[in-house]
Amino acid sequence: MTQTLTIRRPDDWHLHLRDGAMLQAVLPHTAAHFARAIIMPNLVPPVVTGADAAAYRDRILDALPSGADFKPLMTLYLTEDTDADDVAAAHASGLITAVKLYPAGATTNSASGVANFDKVAAVLERMAEIGLPLCTHGEVTDANVDIFDREAVFIDRVLNPIRRAHPHLRVVMEHITTRNAVEYVQAHDTNLAATITTHHLVINRNHILAGGIKPHYYCLPVAKREEHRLALRTAATSGDARFFLGTDSAPHTDANKLLPCGCAGCFTAPNTMSILAEVFEQDGALDKLEGFTSLNGPAFYGLPANDATLTLTRTAPSYPGHVDTEEGPVTVFDPDIPLNWSVA
Ligand code: NCD
Ligand code: ZN
């Protein structure tokens, strides 16, 4: 039985760090394990311009614990008013790594997102020209579409038309939750990849709804039925380089989760690597963990893999049940399975 596993230091290709006191409290948990992360721009107000991204990057760097080795990879929040020249300048200077598309109203702080996709065609074409990837929150917001179908409908109604109109645009389908999304990626081998979260590899919709409502398992896109979770597991553990880790670790205080209308998001930064080691071992694929967490993402983004390493040992991990912030406690995701791997 393998007792230790050393892999290249992982990166997180989809992460919410928030700002202020929350940023201060959650950032050390990511920086402890991950070398880089794609930083989501859905602050209030959102990170829309290059200047916004530079200021946010500086706040993140200021909040890093001393000695931490962590690089935030910044993104811009695409709006119908986004200026293609500003995006191109932010990319040329090395400030940003991607642009994020939120359909207006799809998730937390997405009110400034895109309602009319024609209005962003010029920016998308410019991004295709300069090789700047688009990260998509892949859910339609049409009230007539069942929430469990919103990802599959997004692929047909929004994503596929965008990819046909801009065939050179590099797209990351973020936090995919369905077999449909897995199959869409597998069917298109150029300029397309997908991130998968830690929590969607371990929970299905029963975790949220069966035996009492569990707000800490509510996130967007919402977890789907078991067959979809199994499709995600197969994709993640397959070694297919088009699939890589984006935790979507999305901290909200317990007070904001445990409400009649509670926030969406699972906070997985502290225990993601322990959970993933368990998942990959359960599926007989420990040898594929490094590809998923540390190699496939950099390859898609055209960045070198990290030189530093991270070692996991076969010991039950200890991590806090919640992280205290000045705004209140944030509950750490409970994977509901025994964990046997710790980050050394
Ligand atoms: C994210 C958040 O809280 O910012 N929530 C979530 O459930 N994943 C937004 C998002 O990525 O959809
Ligand atoms: Zn997210």
Side-chain angles (χ1 to χ4, degrees), residues 103-107 137-159 177-178 180 218 220-222 224:
T107 187
H137 182 107
E139 290 188 289
V140 292
T141 54
D142 183 341
N144 295 318
V145 177
D146 188 281
I147 190 164
F148 292 102
D149 297 332
R150 288 180 181 188
E151 180 172 288
V153 174
F154 178 87
I155 294 169
D156 291 342
R157 283 196 200 162
V158 181
L159 180 63
T177 59
T178 57
N180 312 62
Y218 173 60
L220 288 171
V222 70
K224 310 298 191 294

Side-chain angles (χ1 to χ4, degrees), residues 10-320:
D11 302 304
D12 185 348
W13 300 95
H14 180 128
L15 176 68
H16 298 271
L17 286 176
R18 316 301 189 201
D19 215 340
M22 183 67 87
L23 166 65
Q24 202 77 41
V26 301
L27 176 59
H29 293 278
T30 287
H33 298 167
F34 294 89
R36 297 170 290 199
I38 287 269
I39 309 301
M40 285 298 120
N42 63 331
L43 304 181
V44 187
V47 178
V48 172
T49 64
D52 297 338
Y56 186 32
R57 177 201 54 198
D58 291 348
R59 296 198 296 280
I60 295 168
L61 294 176
D62 283 346
L64 271 176
S66 64
D69 179 12
F70 176 76
K71 182 173 185 197
L73 303 175
M74 307 309 293
T75 62
L76 296 183
Y77 185 120
L78 184 63
T79 74
E80 292 180 3
D81 300 320
T82 291
D83 172 10
D85 289 337
D86 181 60
V87 170
H91 174 248
S93 72
L95 172 63
I96 61 163
T97 304
V99 169
K100 177 66 188 255
L101 167 67
Y102 289 103
T107 187
T108 311
N109 305 336
S110 60
S112 320
V114 178
N116 179 350
F117 295 93
D118 294 337
K119 292 198 175 159
V120 296
V123 177
L124 297 182
E125 193 48 35
R126 188 71 168 275
M127 290 168 59
E129 280 164 31
I130 63 180
L132 176 60
L134 179 74
C135 295
T136 60
H137 182 107
E139 290 188 289
V140 292
T141 54
D142 183 341
N144 295 318
V145 177
D146 188 281
I147 190 164
F148 292 102
D149 297 332
R150 288 180 181 188
E151 180 172 288
V153 174
F154 178 87
I155 294 169
D156 291 342
R157 283 196 200 162
V158 181
L159 180 63
N160 205 43
I162 285 178
R163 292 190 61 255
R164 280 167 180 272
H166 309 282
H168 298 291
L169 181 65
R170 297 175 64 68
V171 175
V172 183
M173 298 170 69
E174 298 209 281
H175 45 48
I176 60 169
T177 59
T178 57
R179 176 187 299 282
N180 312 62
V182 168
E183 289 174 353
Y184 186 79
V185 173
Q186 287 167 338
H188 300 85
D189 39 43
T190 53
N191 296 335
L192 185 64
T195 59
I196 303 178
T197 75
T198 309
H199 48 283
H200 288 118
L201 293 173
V202 295
I203 64 166
N204 62 31
R205 63 197 199 178
N206 280 6
H207 284 81
I208 313 168
L209 296 170
I213 191 155
K214 318 278 193 336
H216 291 301
Y217 290 135
Y218 173 60
C219 66
L220 288 171
V222 70
K224 310 298 191 294
R225 59 168 71 236
E226 179 66 355
E227 64 164 292
H228 295 289
R229 184 186 73 92
L230 294 176
L232 299 174
R233 285 273 286 237
T234 304
T237 59
S238 68
D240 185 330
R242 293 170 292 186
F243 298 99
F244 44 88
L245 175 65
T247 66
D248 196 14
S249 181
H252 293 279
T253 61
D254 288 354
N256 285 332
K257 291 287 291 177
L258 308 176
L259 284 174
C261 183
C263 291
C266 297
F267 177 52
T268 54
N271 56 3
T272 274
M273 290 309 298
S274 292
I275 298 170
L276 290 175
E278 195 65 37
V279 162
F280 277 67
E281 179 159 61
Q282 279 178 7
D283 289 7
L286 262 186
D287 61 324
K288 302 290 197 311
L289 180 64
E290 183 182 44
F292 184 68
T293 62
S294 316
L295 303 178
N296 301 347
F300 182 84
Y301 278 95
L303 296 169
N306 299 304
D307 285 327
T309 59
L310 177 128
T311 297
L312 292 144
T313 57
R314 187 183 294 285
T315 343
S318 71
Y319 55 86

